[in-house]
Amino acid sequence: MREKTILVTGATSGIGSAIAQLFHENGAVLVAVGRSQEKLRALTSNLGERIWTYPADLSELGNVRKLFDFCRENELKLDGIVHCAGVTLNCPLRANDITETEHLMRTNVEALIEICHFASSGRYVNKGASIVALSSTASLCGARGLAAYSASKAAVNNLVKSAAMELSLRQVRVNAIAPAMVRTPMYYDTIAQIPEMEAAVRANQPFGLIEPESIAEIAAFLMSSKAKYITGSVLVVNAGNII
């Protein structure tokens, strides 16, 4: 990844933070995107040089265009994009709030559509670039209380396949990683709201909670030339939970 310019959304927490740190260690120039200016400053302080930061809430879809304009204005033509920004919604269908569902869909799905829209242009993204989106095994099996989240990640899976077909004309690859439960703040938020989830994870993931650094390694593989023939794929990381 030395001297490649990689954009990472959701770079200040969980999987996104692990990816940003690993990519930076391997020589990438980072464009780190997160909602918290304070957390972005902390990331910059931790990583030092070769990092640009852009504070944005990507559920406001106009911010996606502003982000790509920022990259262009600073001559940051991208070799890769990892879309880690995402939200969950833990509630049964009987308690569903459509406003919260719309926010989830904008962040998890519509922002990714916009990212792929700009990635289709040679003005922003180099030929041969790689896009990696974060999905979830919930997209394949669902779970109680996670209907909207599961639906959003299933949409990501199919978006990746369609985008891969279109962007292959520019030799741009598009893939997704679909992990089971990962040790992130989102996981702990989920079990706080759905306490029975913790026991289910212990029972169904015999290899245990996945560490964010393991997902970062897989993202690095998909970003590298070693994966140059892989596109339109959803790589499932199930920790032994065979679906």
Side-chain angles (χ1 to χ4, degrees), residues 121-173:
S121 169
R123 291 178 296 174
Y124 302 103
V125 173
N126 284 316
K127 183 178 180 180
S130 174
I131 300 172
V132 178
L134 263 293
S135 182
S136 166
T137 53
S139 67
L140 306 174
C141 62
R144 293 178 184 273
L146 294 176
Y149 178 76
S150 298
S152 75
K153 293 303 186 179
V156 167
N157 295 352
N158 285 283
L159 169 57
V160 158
K161 294 179 184 296
S162 296
M165 293 178 188
E166 291 194 33
L167 272 63
S168 66
L169 300 175
R170 296 195 58 248
Q171 300 293 300
V172 173
R173 297 180 297 108

Side-chain angles (χ1 to χ4, degrees), residues 170-190:
R170 296 195 58 248
Q171 300 293 300
V172 173
R173 297 180 297 108
V174 189
N175 294 289
I177 304 170
M181 287 294 186
V182 182
R183 193 185 305 278
T184 64
M186 185 180 289
Y187 166 73
Y188 290 108
D189 287 345
T190 298

